[in-house]
Amino acid sequence: MVEQLLTQPRTTTDPMLPNLFRIHRVLKESYDTFTVELVSLEGYQTFPFAPGQFNMLYVFGVGEIPISISGDPLHPETLVHTTRAVGTVTKAMRELKPGDVIGVRGPFGSAWPVKEARGADVVFVAGGIGLAPLRSSLYHILSQREKYGKIVLLYGCRSPEDILFRKELEKWRARFDLEIFVTVDYANSRWHGNVGVVTKLIPKAPFDPLNTVAMVCGPEVMMRFTAIELVKRGVNPENVYLSMERNMKCAVGFCGHCQFGPTFICKNGPVYPYSQIQSWLSMWEV
Amino acid sequence: MQTFAEILKETRFFKDLNPEYIELLAGCGSNARFDPGDYIFKEGGDADTFYLIRHGQVALEVHDPRRGQIVVDTLHEDDILGWSWLFPPYKWHYSARAMSLTRGVAMDGKCLRGKCDMDTALGYELMKRFAVIMVDRLQATRLQVLNIYG
Ligand SMILES: Cc1cc2nc3c(=O)[nH]c(=O)nc-3n(C[C@H](O)[C@H](O)[C@H](O)COP(=O)(O)OP(=O)(O)OC[C@H]3O[C@@H](n4cnc5c(N)ncnc54)[C@H](O)[C@@H]3O)c2cc1C
């Protein structure tokens, strides 16, 4: 299949047809999470995207899955994805090595509101693998630091072993213009940081709720309770953005697999304002 | 130097409490200071105090014979530490260890229980405040148990 795709010149920009990318580098982020850096095999020098968008990654012979872009939008020459190995495709992807080829369709979906947030404090709330889809937005905002108020990252994960992008978090923590609070669900006494769920960090985090844009990413339950806590603190629900996940197939709004309320996550999402989706979040079937 | 009444008034916990009650409660307070690694109290010990943390970080721990000390929660500036002094059998359920230099106000639970028994309106005020903390911690614990990060 890969050979066939490489030898047949592309005649259309069919959004259903994967572009071929070679794995340039694989980084182990934790025991179950890894980052792949991809370069185009079809001569694309860059792969522009907006922070928050995702690609459909195709592991040939196994399947195709949506994964957010976790790289720096200012460096679109390599395409970066961070994935947690949970099932068939993600586990097969974890076995890939530098030089292997992968199919990429995208970028798809809505972006984090990085323009709308200018002039305001920005609070990132990440849970587990949710830090990966937020990272591109963090890169973007830090590259234009002067345009924003306070920047706060609240990051929760299961245990110290689950913390992603450790080195980068340490580097960011050393900056004076970004506040980072990390919390884990449980730890032994060698851990010197916070213990408790990420929502616990919200009441005391240093931001002005009346002038804040919040970007939240993680499993749905975590996002639901985070949004409630942010609103309780005084953040306007219109300024709270969540990145939703549903099973996806086509990623271009044809198949209906990712329907969420009257919308399709692949086209209208994945990033939505909480005010728009609040009532669908607690429904059992939407 | 600030009086205990002034210190209590500034805390989230006692904010907006009737000044007369603050004066009354201040009589049960004393200064507390713990070095990093000090145990403030230990699981199973007599619970006759609660603490208003003014500075530092405290770990709540459970001992597991296989895994050693497991930290289940951390508390920080302006948090309340301890409510076992409120209910019989007045024994600590967890251990509390100072993770960094920790300073605060230790409130004598026996003294407080006596004042609350004499003035039930004061008792009700205090109970309402502790109930909010307990509900918040219960909700947080539920999320922890749910394993919300997937
Ligand atoms: C828009 C969008 C962006 C996404 N971005 C990322 C990303 O940046 N990084 C990333 O790692 N994932 C991301 N995901 C989730 C990712 O697409 C799924 O984890 C993936 O599709 C699982 O495929 P699989 O074949 O490996 O698992 P499957 O074989 O389909 O599932 C195997 C088992 O894993 C469970 N499972 C499936 N998905 C998850 C999950 N997300 N968390 C925990 N358990 C799960 C299933 O319930 C099942 O029990 C995103 C999803 C969407 C919709």
Side-chain angles (χ1 to χ4, degrees):
Chain A
M1 169 111 182
V2 180
E3 296 307 314
Q4 207 182 347
L5 282 166
L6 271 174
T7 48
Q8 279 172 0
R10 182 172 299 244
T11 49
T12 67
T13 47
D14 183 348
M16 295 305 288
L17 214 58
N19 293 295
L20 297 182
F21 278 71
R22 182 170 48 78
I23 297 187
H24 172 63
R25 210 151 71 115
V26 182
L27 302 166
K28 190 172 187 261
E29 303 289 356
S30 74
Y31 60 93
D32 65 355
T33 303
F34 58 96
T35 294
V36 287
E37 293 178 6
L38 309 171
V39 286
S40 170
L41 277 178
E42 299 182 58
Y44 296 109
Q45 296 301 313
T46 63
F47 191 96
F49 66 94
Q53 287 194 298
F54 68 94
N55 281 320
M56 295 300 287
L57 300 187
Y58 189 8
V59 180
F60 292 105
V62 185
E64 196 188 36
I65 50 166
I67 299 290
S68 301
I69 304 169
S70 65
D72 187 344
L74 282 181
H75 292 285
E77 56 283 357
T78 45
L79 187 53
V80 182
H81 287 282
T82 303
T83 305
R84 184 160 160 218
V86 293
T88 314
V89 181
T90 48
K91 283 181 180 161
M93 201 187 292
R94 185 172 56 179
E95 299 308 314
L96 297 177
K97 303 270 175 309
D100 287 344
V101 176
I102 199 168
V104 177
R105 292 193 293 126
F108 297 118
S110 57
W112 293 112
V114 287
K115 275 205 185 116
E116 294 83 338
R118 283 183 188 159
D121 290 353
V122 182
V123 180
F124 295 93
V125 190
I129 182 71
L131 184 57
L134 281 171
R135 189 170 69 163
S136 53
S137 176
L138 258 156
Y139 283 140
H140 176 92
I141 284 179
L142 290 176
S143 75
Q144 308 193 355
R145 181 65 192 85
E146 68 289 352
K147 295 192 175 133
Y148 299 89
K150 287 184 188 136
I151 299 179
V152 181
L153 167 63
L154 310 177
Y155 176 36
C157 50
R158 267 184 291 200
S159 72
E161 289 71 43
D162 291 278
I163 296 173
L164 299 181
F165 311 137
R166 238 173 211 276
K167 283 207 179 108
E168 212 156 24
L169 287 176
E170 279 163 17
K171 206 171 77 191
W172 283 337
R173 204 173 228 168
R175 293 175 64 131
F176 295 110
D177 56 359
L178 164 67
E179 302 244 29
I180 300 185
F181 300 89
V182 178
T183 186
V184 299
D185 273 353
Y186 56 88
N188 62 28
S189 40
R190 285 194 303 277
W191 168 250
H192 295 289
N194 293 301
V195 176
V197 279
V198 72
T199 49
K200 258 188 67 183
L201 299 176
I202 294 169
K204 290 192 203 165
F207 61 86
D208 171 10
L210 300 180
N211 186 27
T212 285
V213 171
M215 304 184 199
V216 184
C217 191
E220 204 165 308
V221 186
M222 170 258 162
M223 290 199 288
R224 206 163 80 216
F225 284 97
T226 298
I228 291 170
E229 203 59 50
L230 285 165
V231 172
K232 203 161 117 190
R233 171 91 193 258
V235 183
N236 186 332
E238 284 174 15
N239 293 337
V240 175
Y241 291 82
L242 316 182
S243 180
M244 301 304 298
E245 286 189 11
R246 283 288 189 277
N247 278 343
M248 259 175 212
K249 284 270 180 260
C250 75
V252 287
F254 289 152
C255 73
H257 257 80
C258 63
Q259 186 165 3
F260 182 51
T263 75
F264 292 130
I265 288 183
C266 65
K267 262 181 79 175
N268 310 97
V271 177
Y272 291 89
Y274 180 53
S275 50
Q276 185 187 346
I277 59 171
Q278 192 169 1
S279 59
W280 312 332
L281 276 176
S282 43
M283 283 183 196
W284 288 15
E285 292 282 341
V286 277
Chain B
M1 211 174 99
Q2 273 186 306
T3 63
F4 280 123
E6 284 163 346
I7 292 172
L8 296 189
K9 237 185 290 178
E10 282 173 7
T11 61
R12 219 166 16 132
F13 186 72
F14 286 119
K15 206 175 75 184
D16 305 329
L17 187 68
N18 176 338
E20 274 172 39
Y21 284 153
I22 297 257
E23 288 295 337
L24 199 66
L25 294 174
C28 300
S30 61
N31 274 319
R33 178 189 187 279
F34 302 94
D35 285 322
D38 281 357
Y39 274 90
I40 301 170
F41 51 77
K42 285 198 170 163
E43 211 172 325
D46 289 335
D48 43 26
T49 318
F50 83 90
Y51 299 87
L52 290 156
I53 303 172
R54 300 188 66 210
H55 172 86
Q57 178 164 317
V58 175
L60 282 187
E61 296 180 345
V62 184
H63 183 71
D64 178 272
R66 223 163 25 92
R67 295 183 291 171
Q69 294 298 112
I70 309 290
V71 182
V72 291
D73 203 357
T74 46
L75 300 173
H76 311 87
E77 197 178 306
D78 215 18
D79 279 339
I80 294 287
L81 168 64
W83 58 63
S84 301
W85 63 277
L86 268 170
F87 312 103
Y90 309 118
K91 299 280 180 202
W92 294 119
H93 290 99
Y94 299 101
S95 301
R97 176 177 51 85
M99 298 172 83
S100 56
L101 173 68
T102 299
R103 284 197 220 98
V105 179
M107 301 292 292
D108 180 336
K110 266 195 202 147
C111 161
L112 279 177
R113 283 200 301 262
K115 290 192 175 171
C116 292
D117 286 343
M118 287 201 328
D119 183 341
T120 49
L122 167 66
Y124 179 60
E125 266 303 324
L126 266 191
M127 278 296 176
K128 273 199 297 190
R129 283 157 203 260
F130 270 100
V132 171
I133 294 179
M134 286 192 244
V135 168
D136 280 352
R137 301 239 178 113
L138 173 65
Q139 306 282 29
T141 307
R142 280 184 177 152
L143 291 183
Q144 242 165 313
V145 171
L146 259 178
N147 189 8
I148 54 166
Y149 306 122

